[in-house]
Amino acid sequence: MKRIEQYLLVLLGILLMMFGAVHAQDLETQNALESINVVQQGSVINVKVGFKQPLRALPPAFSVSKPARISFDFQNTINGLGKLSQNFDEGDLKSSNIVQAEDRTRLVLNLHKPMTYEASLDGNNLLIALHTTSPVSAQQLSAPVEHFAKMRPSSVENTIRDISFRRGKDGEGRITVDLTDSNAGIDIRQQGSTLVVDFVKVNVPETLRKRLDVTDFATPVLSLNTIQRDGGARMTITPRGLWEHNAYQSDNQFVIEIKPIVENPNKLVQGTRGGYQGEKLSLNFQNVDVRRLLQVIGEFTGMNMVVSDSVGGAITLILKDVPWDQALDIIMQQKNLDMRKNGNVILIAPRDELATKEKLDFESKQQIGDLEPLQTESFQMNYIRAEAVHKLLIDPKQSLLSKRGSALLDDRSNMMFVKDVPNRLDDVRAMIAKVDIPARQVMIEARIVEAGDSFAKNLGVRLGYGATTKTTDEKTGVTTLANSTTLAAIKPDFRMSGIGALNLPATPRAGSAGTLGLSFYNKNYTKYLSLEISALEADGRGKVISSPRVMTANQVEAIIEQGVEIPYQQATQAGATSIAFKKANLSLKVKPQITPDGKISMMLDVNKDTPNTLLSTGAGVAIDTKHVKTEVLVDNGGTVVIGGIYTQTVRNTTQRIPFFGDLPYIGFLFKNKEIIDDKTELLIFVTPRVVSENLAIR
């Protein structure tokens, strides 16, 4: 027994020695971050990060513009500084944060403003050069060069395999360049009104060296031209109007999007970001694991992210200042992934896996619904008729009930009894709570204004000539004219009776004209000339206001009318005549609808008919009709003009005696004139008001 215990002790010692050796070996292979030194030289800030052992390759890094910071991730590395932060205050470099998670350490450089960086390895040190924004010339400002991706050594010759152009869902032009190798260097710059993309040491086949006219796609891009030049390939993109570009690279595909810009004078910065609203970030990863990349995005956003075990593979991704949700969308599109979001938790898995899981969940819920016991619940309707709700429930096209559910209606009590599974009863309860509400009232007031301005001027003349004989009684000395008793009997007759030599008096439309009469006699009073001038000038203004108003419920048509019915005769089928009536009314027909933003949409039919007795005939009385039918959208309490008719009648009439009416100076004695200038205007105003729900009549 003692011998067995000795054997066990020896075996335990051997195991402890082996474990200690393995642990010591792990400690020896594990790297450590030992120092961070910062030196500023002109506009460049040099950061020297010292490690215990040399790094095998440049670490993955990404930058964020708001807040400005640059992050580096070191695998199999621990924090050997003994502190988690360090302040520098050198130029635009504020401080650094060191975060360790298991065997991984992240170095975060906090900046005052966004900066570009260059990283290189020097023994046990990582050298980081931060470049500040320096003054540039006007020419450089007009054509800045964006070093999208640096060229990396490659064993194969890089060639453009295909160039495609498509229109995006938001009207953007999307250019996709398919490369044989993802290590190509790409530079983007704006040159005048064009966008130039240079591919460093990249060949273009003869079939792709051409100009593509893409005007018919209705995007901001007019054309793109690809050529071969010294040092690589060049693509020249010619846009139109206001535009902005966005570029990204995923593995061997380089994509550049040209988006239109809709100017808004109220915006301080013009531009559009499409449907992505996340905080912008920059990513530069070469052949990195997808799960690792998703972890970086999850840590950046602070979202809880659950990644399925079936997610795997590697991806090359170069993104500069793109929203994080767009970056996540690009990754999922390239790897055929999909996500489901629940609160602040995101589940990411292959698209087929999620679809299969959801299908199984739905089938399970359906099976449970077929076996779940039924319950009965009564619903009391307060403002809506139960019959209307019952029609909604039993409608086969949009039924809320399950295939085992049923609904009964009681018109007397305005109640409805529903029998179904509990979750369907919850849906019915929620639906009734939304539709069983008091209808809002709307007061609609219409004002029909008819304004008239009339002017008339009439001028006419009557001219007559007469003659008679004169006899004098020697005894009495009384002079007598023929057909007259005394001389006084031949006083001027302004009515021109018995003369009628010229009869062109003024003929006004209404009223009577004023007259001025003169008579001229010879010295013997036997011949005389009578002149009568008639004239009238009338100026009138009038206004008729009709104001029908009606109150109705929301989405309920209302009619109000006032007027007379004019009888007229009509023939019957038997050949006899009967009396029928024609309405000549002022009517307002309206159907309002209150929109969710508080405005009022109305279907209006306004009619104003009046009898015209001046146009009465044997067949009946004529009716003047004024009618408008339209649909308008008005603010609550606002007034809108829905119709207007303006008419003007100008007439100048002259009646004259030929030849004599054209004589100078005296031609007016042989003609009459009539001038008419009538103006009428019809305006219809409508003012809707939503009646307050708290309004009460006492």
Side-chain angles (χ1 to χ4, degrees), residues 439-440 442 552-558 590-595 601:
R440 304 181 68 179
V442 183
T552 182
N554 185 29
Q555 297 185 357
V556 177
E557 186 179 74
V590 60
K591 184 178 181 180
Q593 179 182 356
I594 304 175
T595 61
S601 176

Side-chain angles (χ1 to χ4, degrees), residues 406-417:
S406 61
L408 298 178
L409 175 66
D410 184 19
D411 291 331
R412 185 182 62 84
S413 60
N414 202 32
M415 293 184 63
M416 187 174 61
F417 302 89

Side-chain angles (χ1 to χ4, degrees), residues 396-674:
K397 297 181 180 180
Q398 50 185 9
S399 177
L400 291 179
L401 304 178
S402 65
K403 60 183 180 181
R404 298 191 297 157
S406 61
L408 298 178
L409 175 66
D410 184 19
D411 291 331
R412 185 182 62 84
S413 60
N414 202 32
M415 293 184 63
M416 187 174 61
F417 302 89
V418 182
K419 186 177 183 180
D420 210 331
V421 295
N423 59 342
R424 294 299 180 95
L425 291 178
D426 295 338
D427 296 339
V428 174
R429 190 181 303 107
M431 186 270 291
I432 293 177
K434 292 182 179 182
V435 299
D436 190 23
I437 58 176
R440 304 181 68 179
Q441 306 292 314
V442 183
M443 172 67 75
I444 299 100
E445 180 181 1
R447 292 183 297 277
I448 306 173
V449 181
E450 299 177 84
D453 187 358
S454 61
F455 174 80
K457 184 177 181 181
N458 301 85
L459 179 64
V461 64
R462 286 183 177 182
L463 185 63
Y465 171 78
T468 185
T469 57
K470 180 178 72 172
T471 58
T472 303
D473 191 349
E474 297 179 354
K475 296 181 179 181
T476 60
V478 178
T479 303
T480 305
L481 302 178
N483 302 323
S484 302
T485 308
T486 60
L487 181 62
I490 64 171
K491 61 184 180 179
D493 187 0
F494 295 150
R495 296 172 295 176
M496 303 293 293
S497 58
I499 300 176
L502 179 63
N503 188 16
L504 293 173
T507 55
R509 293 176 297 176
S512 57
T515 58
L516 174 63
L518 298 173
S519 297
F520 301 94
Y521 301 91
N522 61 354
K523 63 180 181 179
N524 295 321
Y525 298 99
T526 58
K527 299 178 178 62
Y528 58 92
L529 180 67
S530 299
L531 175 66
E532 183 186 74
I533 299 175
S534 56
L536 176 67
E537 183 173 321
D539 191 3
R541 292 179 176 85
K543 183 168 63 175
V544 179
I545 300 177
S546 305
S547 182
R549 63 181 67 184
V550 63
M551 186 168 67
T552 182
N554 185 29
Q555 297 185 357
V556 177
E557 186 179 74
I559 301 175
I560 185 173
E561 62 181 7
Q562 179 192 11
V564 297
E565 292 187 353
I566 301 174
Y568 66 95
Q569 292 184 352
Q570 65 176 7
T572 61
Q573 296 180 355
T577 59
S578 62
I579 301 298
F581 293 88
K582 178 71 174 179
K583 290 184 178 181
N585 297 339
L586 169 64
S587 65
L588 171 63
K589 183 188 295 183
V590 60
K591 184 178 181 180
Q593 179 182 356
I594 304 175
T595 61
D597 57 352
K599 298 182 180 180
I600 304 174
S601 176
M602 299 178 294
M603 297 186 63
L604 289 164
D605 191 350
V606 183
N607 191 74
K608 189 177 187 303
D609 297 339
T610 55
N612 190 347
T613 56
L614 299 178
L615 298 179
S616 301
T617 62
V621 180
I623 299 177
D624 293 335
T625 301
K626 303 175 182 66
H627 183 215
V628 60
K629 184 177 181 181
T630 183
E631 182 176 358
V632 294
L633 181 65
V634 194
D635 293 332
N636 183 21
T639 301
V640 62
V641 181
I642 65 172
I645 300 175
Y646 177 81
T647 57
Q648 182 178 9
T649 303
V650 179
R651 186 167 63 248
N652 193 342
T653 305
T654 302
Q655 297 178 349
R656 70 184 73 188
I657 302 297
F659 178 74
F660 295 98
D662 297 329
L663 294 176
Y665 303 110
I666 61 174
F668 74 94
L669 298 175
F670 303 93
K671 59 184 177 182
N672 71 349
K673 297 179 64 176
E674 182 182 27

Side-chain angles (χ1 to χ4, degrees), residues 113 168 181 214 230 237 283 306 343 398 500 550 562 590 613 655 664:
K113 62 181 181 179
D181 192 0
V214 294
D230 296 338
I237 305 171
L283 301 174
V306 180
Q398 50 185 9
V550 63
Q562 179 192 11
V590 60
T613 56
Q655 297 178 349

Side-chain angles (χ1 to χ4, degrees), residues 10 22 33 82 196 223 282 306 319 340 355 386 446 452 516 602 657 669:
V10 172
V22 172
L33 194 155
V196 179
S223 64
S282 298
V306 180
L319 302 175
R340 297 293 184 267
L516 174 63
M602 299 178 294
I657 302 297
L669 298 175

Side-chain angles (χ1 to χ4, degrees), residues 675-691:
I675 300 175
I676 296 176
D677 188 2
D678 294 340
K679 302 175 184 178
T680 59
E681 187 172 9
L682 172 67
L683 295 174
I684 301 176
F685 303 86
V686 177
T687 303
R689 294 182 177 88
V690 178
V691 181

Side-chain angles (χ1 to χ4, degrees), residues 43-234:
S43 61
V44 180
I45 300 176
N46 297 312
V47 181
K48 182 179 180 181
V49 184
F51 294 88
K52 181 180 180 180
Q53 300 175 6
L55 299 177
R56 297 179 180 179
L58 291 175
F62 66 95
S63 62
V64 182
S65 57
K66 292 183 180 180
R69 61 191 181 190
I70 303 174
S71 301
F72 298 87
D73 288 341
F74 306 99
Q75 297 290 339
N76 197 23
T77 303
I78 62 175
N79 182 13
L81 290 176
K83 52 185 177 180
L84 301 179
S85 63
Q86 186 173 350
N87 295 325
F88 302 112
D89 292 330
E90 291 285 344
D92 292 327
L93 178 60
K94 294 189 298 183
S95 61
S96 66
N97 295 330
I98 300 95
V99 181
Q100 180 180 347
E102 297 180 354
D103 61 343
R104 182 173 60 90
T105 300
R106 171 171 293 181
L107 172 63
V108 181
L109 301 180
N110 301 313
L111 311 174
H112 290 285
K113 62 181 181 179
M115 304 175 66
T116 60
Y117 70 93
E118 294 180 359
S120 61
L121 298 178
D122 184 15
N124 294 1
N125 302 319
L126 172 64
L127 304 180
I128 305 172
L130 303 177
H131 299 274
T132 60
T133 304
S134 59
V136 296
S137 62
Q139 183 179 1
Q140 292 176 329
L141 288 175
S142 62
V145 178
E146 177 184 351
H147 298 286
F148 182 84
K150 293 183 178 181
M151 181 181 175
R152 293 177 174 85
S154 179
S155 59
V156 297
E157 184 181 6
N158 207 344
T159 306
I160 297 179
R161 294 185 295 189
D162 189 21
I163 300 175
S164 62
F165 182 87
R166 294 182 179 179
R167 172 184 167 89
K169 62 180 181 178
D170 297 327
E172 72 273 13
R174 182 176 299 167
I175 305 168
T176 303
V177 182
D178 192 6
L179 303 169
T180 58
D181 192 0
S182 61
N183 296 319
I186 303 175
D187 295 335
I188 304 174
R189 71 178 183 274
Q190 184 175 350
Q191 184 174 336
S193 59
T194 62
L195 190 65
V196 179
V197 183
D198 289 331
F199 300 88
V200 183
K201 295 184 178 180
V202 177
N203 297 325
V204 184
E206 290 289 342
T207 56
L208 299 179
R209 299 178 187 177
K210 57 184 178 180
R211 181 179 181 273
L212 299 178
D213 189 352
V214 294
T215 308
D216 297 338
F217 286 85
T219 68
V221 183
L222 295 177
S223 64
L224 56 104
N225 188 21
T226 307
I227 62 173
Q228 185 72 46
R229 58 189 298 271
D230 296 338
R234 170 171 290 184

